[in-house]
């Protein structure tokens, strides 16, 4: 795999994922804002948090594209369906493992065990991130599915 291909398709897949999530938030289908969640790890200022979070999200997307490329290569080569399966597994991991753990490590997120405090900007995601809306898990799955499809289809195949 060429470094240019990984960088381009990792950026495209991340942009598609981000666009799907931002679009679903803009349409009122979810309240989850991934760049804001990531940015508030670093700063309490809302406007700066979105910019910092967008940069961190892009870096994460590129890093995960490397993981996808390595996994697809070990799996016999990239195909759209292998990429999609990785995306579904990624979404399941995010919804069932990362989201429940997030209040324990995020300095500005309330937890379900403690009441709200003045410094907590975010509510806890809850099981499957359902506190951000009942359609949130669907959009998280669709976003990761699209991410995996792009990488599986466009990275070098078997």
């Amino acid at each position: 795999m060429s470094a240019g291909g990984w960088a381009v398709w990792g950026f495209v897949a991340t942009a598609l994922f981000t666009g799907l999530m931002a679009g679903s938030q803009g349409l009122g289908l979810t309240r989850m804002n991934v760049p804001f969640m990531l940015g508030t790890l670093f700063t309490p200022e809302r406007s700066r948090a979105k910019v910092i979070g967008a940069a961190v999200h892009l870096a994460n997307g590129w890093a995960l594209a490397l993981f996808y490329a390595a996994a697809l290569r070990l799996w016999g080569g990239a195909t759209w369906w292998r990429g999609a399966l990785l995306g579904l597994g990624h979404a399941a991991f995010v919804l069932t493992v990362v989201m429940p753990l997030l209040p324990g490590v995020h300095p500005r997120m309330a937890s379900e065990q403690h009441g709200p405090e003045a410094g907590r900007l975010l509510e806890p995601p809850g099981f499957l991130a359902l506190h951000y809306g009942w359609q949130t898990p669907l959009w998280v799955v669709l976003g990761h599915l699209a991410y995996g499809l792009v990488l599986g289809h466009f990275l070098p195949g078997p």
Side-chain angles (χ1 to χ4, degrees), residues 113-141:
Q113 286 76 35
H114 300 94
E117 300 171 19
R120 305 290 180 174
L121 301 172
L122 299 166
E123 68 177 305
F127 179 69
L128 299 177
L130 287 168
H131 289 183
Y132 299 139
W134 68 269
Q135 296 175 350
T136 299
L138 173 67
W139 286 101
V140 170
V141 169

Side-chain angles (χ1 to χ4, degrees), residues 67-136:
F67 173 79
Y68 272 62
L72 290 167
R73 187 179 187 114
L74 288 173
W75 198 357
T79 62
W80 67 267
W81 63 270
R82 287 178 181 150
L85 285 175
L86 281 177
L88 290 175
H90 186 178
F93 181 76
V94 166
L95 288 169
T96 61
V97 177
V98 174
M99 288 296 162
L101 293 177
L102 204 51
V105 297
H106 197 297
R108 293 176 184 83
M109 182 177 282
S111 76
E112 298 197 37
Q113 286 76 35
H114 300 94
E117 300 171 19
R120 305 290 180 174
L121 301 172
L122 299 166
E123 68 177 305
F127 179 69
L128 299 177
L130 287 168
H131 289 183
Y132 299 139
W134 68 269
Q135 296 175 350
T136 299

Side-chain angles (χ1 to χ4, degrees), residues 12-99:
V12 169
T14 304
L16 179 61
F17 174 87
T18 304
L20 285 170
M21 292 304 296
S24 64
Q25 185 189 16
L27 293 172
L29 302 172
T30 179
R31 290 183 295 113
M32 189 163 89
N33 184 328
V34 176
F36 186 66
M37 288 172 63
L38 290 172
T40 52
L41 282 166
F42 303 98
T43 180
E45 290 184 47
R46 290 181 177 271
S47 57
R48 290 188 72 200
K50 291 176 184 174
V51 174
I52 292 169
V56 170
H57 184 60
L58 179 61
N60 284 345
W62 267 327
L64 286 169
L66 273 178
F67 173 79
Y68 272 62
L72 290 167
R73 187 179 187 114
L74 288 173
W75 198 357
T79 62
W80 67 267
W81 63 270
R82 287 178 181 150
L85 285 175
L86 281 177
L88 290 175
H90 186 178
F93 181 76
V94 166
L95 288 169
T96 61
V97 177
V98 174
M99 288 296 162

